[in-house]
């Protein structure tokens, strides 16, 4: 999705969670994109989306931190 600036995929509970950094006005476009992708995936691979208005945290080497 072109509206996504940064994305981090992690497990939250027992679900796949995508933490997406994008502009607040683009969140609906990203949510629609993920919904469309989820329709093509089996239920156990469906993603839940969380949004972050700030850039995702990075370590000193510039790699994304996983929490």
């Amino acid at each position: 999705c072109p509206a996504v600036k940064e994305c981090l995929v992690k497990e939250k509970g027992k679900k796949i969670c995508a933490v997406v950094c994008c502009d607040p006005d683009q969140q609906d476009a990203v949510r629609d994109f993920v919904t469309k992708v989820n329709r093509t995936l089996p239920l156990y691979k469906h993603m839940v989306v969380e949004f972050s208005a700030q850039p995702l945290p990075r370590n000193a080497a510039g790699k994304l931190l996983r929490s």
Side-chain angles (χ1 to χ4, degrees), residues 3 8-10 13 15 22 32-33 39-40 53 55:
L8 175 70
V9 178
K10 63 181 182 177
K15 296 196 174 228
C22 67
D32 291 342
F33 179 81
R39 288 184 188 141
T40 66

Side-chain angles (χ1 to χ4, degrees), residues 24-39:
D25 59 333
Q26 295 291 319
Q27 288 181 0
D28 288 334
V30 174
R31 192 174 285 115
D32 291 342
F33 179 81
V34 172
T35 301
K36 188 165 62 169
V37 170
N38 279 343
R39 288 184 188 141

Side-chain angles (χ1 to χ4, degrees), residues 7-62:
C7 180
L8 175 70
V9 178
K10 63 181 182 177
E11 184 178 3
K12 186 173 184 179
K14 297 211 178 227
K15 296 196 174 228
I16 298 170
C17 179
V19 181
V20 176
C21 175
C22 67
D23 293 328
D25 59 333
Q26 295 291 319
Q27 288 181 0
D28 288 334
V30 174
R31 192 174 285 115
D32 291 342
F33 179 81
V34 172
T35 301
K36 188 165 62 169
V37 170
N38 279 343
R39 288 184 188 141
T40 66
L41 297 172
L43 286 175
Y44 70 94
K45 290 186 178 181
H46 280 201
M47 294 178 279
V48 177
V49 180
E50 291 181 2
F51 292 100
S52 172
Q54 302 170 352
L56 299 176
R58 295 181 180 272
N59 64 14

